[in-house]
Amino acid sequence: MTTLPAPTVLDQLKALSHEIRFELVRYLAGGERCVCDLEALLNLPQSKVSYHLAILRDAELVWAEQRGKNTYYALRQDQLFGLGGALLNDIFVQSPSLTHQDKSIC
């Protein structure tokens, strides 16, 4: 059995970039929720909610637990905090010192 590589920062940002998935994360920030609760909150059919939750799960931003007929989802806070840190590290990389350039416009 082959295992999928861990999602990258870019994979996780892409997962969060869709408005439905971003709303799902916002609702899950309030605590664990059943899919049926999320359907009602978003006013969307179960199939659409499950589709977007699967993308968040593949990006390792949420975890799921089956309890009887219902599936409950919660945020993987460690991943979200890690994503924030990784994003900041990517944005604020150590750049080379600026020096005078002959063809500078300033």
Side-chain angles (χ1 to χ4, degrees), residues 37-52:
D37 294 333
L38 294 167
E39 289 174 51
L41 287 167
L42 293 169
N43 196 28
L44 292 172
Q46 180 271 327
S47 59
K48 187 170 267 197
V49 173
S50 292
Y51 168 79
H52 288 288

Side-chain angles (χ1 to χ4, degrees), residues 15 31 35 74:
V35 172

Side-chain angles (χ1 to χ4, degrees), residues 18-71:
H18 192 280
E19 65 186 70
I20 292 174
R21 294 190 289 270
F22 187 75
E23 284 300 309
L24 284 166
V25 168
R26 289 185 60 208
Y27 284 126
L28 291 172
E32 179 181 277
R33 302 247 186 198
C34 175
V35 172
C36 58
D37 294 333
L38 294 167
E39 289 174 51
L41 287 167
L42 293 169
N43 196 28
L44 292 172
Q46 180 271 327
S47 59
K48 187 170 267 197
V49 173
S50 292
Y51 168 79
H52 288 288
L53 285 167
I55 292 171
L56 291 171
R57 193 175 57 241
D58 290 345
E60 298 182 358
L61 296 173
V62 300
W63 61 263
E65 182 179 335
Q66 189 76 31
R67 295 184 201 148
K69 293 181 181 181
N70 296 323
T71 303

